[in-house]
Amino acid sequence: MKIKSLANRILLMVTFVVVVLTGLFVVYFAFHSRNSLERYQRDSGLSLAQSLAHSSALGMIAEEPSLLDQPFAIATSDPEILYTVAYDSSGKILKQFSRIAIDLSVESQQIEAPLNAAGPYFGGTIKAAGISIDEFYSPIQYQQEEELSETLLQGKGGELKSFKTVGFIRIGISRSRIGAAVRTAMLVSAMIGVLVLAIGVFLSFYISRLITRSLKELESGARRVSQGDLDVSLDISTDDEVGAVARAFNAMAGALKETTVSKDYVENIVGSMNEAMVVLDADRRIISLNNAAEFLLGYKTMELSGTLVDAVFPHEGDHPLAASRWSLLFAAGSLSNVTAELRTKDGRLIPVNLSAAQILDRGGKSHGLVCIARDMREVNALLSQLRAHAEDLERYQGVLFSMLDDNEKARLEIESERQKTLTAVNSMSDGLCMFGPDGRVILMNPAARGMLGIPEDAVPDAMDFRKMLGDAFAQMQSSRPGERPKLMQDITLGGTSLRTIRVEGIPLERGAELLGFMIVLRDITRQRRLDEAKYELIANVSHELRTPLAIISNVISNAIVGVAGPVPDKLMNGLSICQANAKRLGHIIDSLLDIAIIDAGRVGLQRENTDVAAIVQEKASLFGDKARTKGLAFTTKLGEGPYTAYCDRKAISDVVSNLILNAIRFTPSGGSIEVGIMRHGSQLEVSVTDTGIGIPSEEHASIFDHFHQLGRTYGPGEKGLGLGLAISRKIVEQHGGSIGLRSAVGKGSRFYFIIPASEEGSGNEKNNTGEEHYG
Amino acid sequence: MDKKRVLIVDDEADFVETASQRLSFEGFEIAEALDGETALALIQKGAIPDIILLDIMMPGMNGIDVFSKLRSDPRTADVPIIFLTVWEHLIPGAALRSKTPCATLRKPFDFDDLIKLMRDMLEGRKVSEG
Amino acid sequence: MKRRLYILLILILLILMPGLARAQKVCAVLSSGIKPYVEAMDGFKKAFKGPVEEMVLGDNPAFAGEVADKVRNSPCPVVVALGSNALKFLKLRVTEKPIVFAMTLSPAVEGLSGRDITGVFLEPSARAALAAIKKVVPAASRIGALYSRTSRGDYLDEARRAAAGLGLEIVAEQAATVGEVVRQAASIMTRCDVLLMIPDSVTSSQGAFEAIFAASLKGNVPVFAISQKYVSEGALAALATDYKDNGVQAAEIAQRIVSGAAASSIPYEPARKAGIVLNLKAAKRMGITISPQVIAEAVEVYR
């Protein structure tokens, strides 16, 4: 029977082997067990007989069966020991023990063997009471008396050199145990054998299947590869030979695939490349064209296949592709970037850039040539364009350089101008600061630094200015275009000595855009001091003049009144003239003082956010009575608020008082006076309108000047210096405002002044923290 | 009507003379002092004046101090006082605003104004500060 | 001058004669090659002034014949028998030379009077034995002993005499066979404090010892054995003879015979040097405390 399958063959072989081995094993095991059991039986029988003989010696000698009780009991403790007998030297039973019914007496011929034996021996197997019994004999020996000293000198375990047999022991041991044991052994070994057989068969089955499975996989894999499916990968990962074969197979498939991939890859490249590729064989005949070549030449590969390359590359003479130079080309191996011409199907010649390389095999033999030709038409056209451009560029470059030169000159000029300006600014004695619209300091000249006490290397901060200039700065920053006031104030700076600095600020605007601020600082301390001194002098002088004047007035007055007696008329006239002139002298002295005051700028402002309407109300109520007493109607008119202005409360009050008082003076009884305040955008207008005598228009301009007589009188109770309109004008102008009037003779007058209002909530009255409200 | 006593305190002798002449002509009884100490001494010695005309700028004790002294003396606390001076801005506002009768008149002044003011104050009329 | 020469010669002869006599060789026969006999031989050789020709008897009967011939043909004036086998052998085969025995228990020499045989016993004297018992078990007073016809009557007599001097009483019982020993052992244990084993082929045999030992365990009476073999097997104590000294003793007797004394005129001697052997386990079992000094003095201690 031919068994085809490898698996089955393996299975069969292995099974056969296993069966044979198992059988051998079973047999061996059975025999071995039996033998060892037999041996065990024999040995135990012998040793038992001997030890029993030994321990029976005494009893035998003494002929005392009771002495044999214990040895017998010990010996027969094992139920397999069927009987034990001790015979004396004549064969008479001294003691016996038996578990079965058996006649244990012996014949005289039977006692010879045991009595003459040197030691215990197996006496054969008998059958009694239906049981197989192994019999063992052992002589009971006793040492002879005479050689006691020899025995003693021998020491422990001395041999019984000469002894006497005084009897023998007979033991019968049942064989049933052996039989049973042997049978058990055989059964066990049979079972083990079967088990081993089963395992063996199973394993062989498994292994054979394993091998064949692997083989099947290999087979199917190989078949698939041969059919072109190169994506094969065997899933065998064992570490053995099968696994190795599988891995090798996978590697092979992988390599094949790569080759195919490479091949496809190359084909793709060749097919899609822009350059024309022509493959020639060793005889200069065209083998193939790629797509680009076909397109360029207008031929198909089929048409040119087999034709000499000259058809397409018509070169002669020294050109590398000329027929005569062919062998040289092969020897050289390759061409690179050679200019050549291609002839197309329709006879055109196309300029190309040619490179070629030999196709070599492993051994170095040439099989042909690969030529790559790049169409140079476009390139050539580009090149000529580029050349033209390059010329233009050169020209432009010339122009550019001259422009740069001019720029440089201009820059240098600007730079020198800048330097001049900078020098001028830096050497000014007045301080100059420029701020950006955000209040950041752009420029601060040394003079300004000196005045403000900001060291040269310190970066000045708008904060410093705010601190020094206060809300005025904020005002300047925050007001709207077109309405931005000019800042002018005098600030006193501490330091080593007090200085007065006049700060003039101008917003820099371009249209509606605020570019920043410029501030000029002038140290007017000296000027101030001069003014102060001047004022002091004049004030003192005028006061000094007053005292003698007062005395002279008194005398004249007294005379006129008649204190010294009646006065002749002629004298009275003269006295009147004297009195009038004395009064005039007094006025001149007063004016002198006023001038001094005005010139000295004594009217220094202490500004704060003030409610101007409140001032107006206050003065109105103050002078209202006076007006009414005089018989004048007195009203106040308040327009739309708010009326907060950053101003000197006292000064503005004085201005208002001045205007109201003037109105009262120059309005005859029956007339009316109206005091009003209005807000126009970011400005406040306070006006006092009366129905008085009016002021001629030619005096409108000069009315606010010094010395203009308004007929001021000093009445009782009037204290204070008495402000003139000149001083009022000064005050208003110092607030950045203006003063004016509208009047005609007989039609009454309207005096008004305008000062800038502060923003709602701006200034440092409302907020305690410095920063937020600016800007 | 009794003659009212006027005490004139001024360091300028001519002024005092001319003023005294006029005032006595107008019917006042005159007492003169050329400085503050003399003025206070006079008051201590003699009768309390009905009204006092007080200069500011004087050597020694100036008018303001005299004023204070007068006002702290219960006898002279309510006596009307008129400051006659070229330096009226030196008069402290507190003095003027006090409840005690006082006023200011700047030199050179019109004697008529002075007389009127004096008579008003002697009669207890409240003088407008204006 | 001549007279002096003769005197010198005579003197020399006189001096040499003993030497000549001394220089005479003796033959020695050992029962076997075991260590005790070798030790005794060494002792003999050291003590005897003269060469000794050693022969070992062994088991082979053929060889035994050769030994007999050798001895008979040898010029040795004396034959030394070490061990009872050697004695038994020589007394049968060599009748014309005097024999000096050693390393033999006294029962082996019964019936040898009248012969030219003398020697040294393996056992020490009865007095020595009793003195040893007194040392080991001072509390003992009654000393039991089993005897048969194989033991020397002198031994027990000597023992009785010595016992009286030591304050001990000898209780002796006769047992003709080992079987009787087995029967007597139990009863004698009840009548003594220590059982003394005497040199006796029956009552000191291996079988007898086993019976006596079993009885001693039962009756809790210690056994003073005849040899250290029994001490190793469980007896309380024994006197162990110094084998070397035994040889020396024999050499001294041999020397006398060589010098001219008659063997039959020299009385038997007991072994004069023996040490106590103890079994401490047996002592513990019996509840006997042996004095540390005795333990220290013992030649061998079984624990």
Side-chain angles (χ1 to χ4, degrees), chain A residues 58 61-62 64 67 142-143 145-158 161, chain C residues 31 37 59 84-85 88 105 178-179 182-183 200 204-207 226-227 229-230 232 243:
Chain A
L58 233 74
I61 292 168
E64 191 53 65
L67 288 173
Y142 192 72
Q143 186 201 356
E145 295 146 356
E146 294 93 88
E147 310 311 326
L148 175 61
S149 55
E150 297 289 342
T151 313
L152 293 178
L153 288 170
Q154 296 273 3
K156 227 176 194 172
K161 276 267 164 61
Chain C
S31 293
Y37 294 134
D59 287 328
S84 56
N85 279 350
K88 201 161 82 174
L105 287 174
V178 173
V182 172
R183 280 190 285 274
D200 186 300
S204 292
S205 67
Q206 181 73 37
I226 190 68
S227 116
K229 181 178 195 283
Y230 293 145
S232 73
Y243 303 132

Side-chain angles (χ1 to χ4, degrees), chain B residues 39-58:
Chain B
L40 292 169
L42 278 176
I43 288 167
Q44 292 288 56
K45 266 199 277 195
I48 310 296
D50 297 309
I51 189 161
I52 303 173
L53 302 178
L54 191 51
D55 183 21
I56 303 282
M57 272 295 186
M58 291 189 288

Side-chain angles (χ1 to χ4, degrees), chain A residues 739-756:
Chain A
I739 195 167
L741 81 128
R742 217 177 281 286
S743 178
V745 175
K747 293 209 175 113
S749 314
R750 183 174 182 275
F751 279 85
Y752 64 92
F753 69 88
I754 298 169
I755 51 172

Side-chain angles (χ1 to χ4, degrees), chain A residues 77-122:
Chain A
S77 56
D78 185 349
E80 289 295 309
I81 315 265
L82 296 177
Y83 52 82
T84 57
V85 195
Y87 303 87
D88 68 11
S89 50
S90 60
K92 195 169 89 182
I93 295 173
L94 183 62
K95 181 163 175 72
Q96 69 171 351
F97 166 88
S98 176
R99 288 198 167 96
I100 57 169
I102 180 173
D103 176 20
L104 291 167
S105 62
V106 290
E107 300 297 315
S108 52
Q109 60 264 40
Q110 285 173 293
I111 68 173
E112 235 184 86
L115 284 176
N116 288 328
Y121 65 94
F122 174 59

Side-chain angles (χ1 to χ4, degrees), chain A residues 390-402:
Chain A
E391 283 163 20
D392 285 340
L393 275 171
E394 271 191 51
R395 273 206 309 277
Y396 292 143
Q397 195 186 42
V399 169
L400 196 66
F401 279 141
S402 63

Side-chain angles (χ1 to χ4, degrees), chain A residues 543 546 555 557-558 590 717, chain B residues 18 22 86-87 106-107 129:
Chain A
H543 280 107
R546 284 215 180 105
V555 170
S557 178
N558 290 354
D590 289 339
Chain B
T18 54
R22 180 59 179 272
V86 297
W87 304 100
R106 203 179 68 145
K107 295 189 221 169
E129 295 275 318

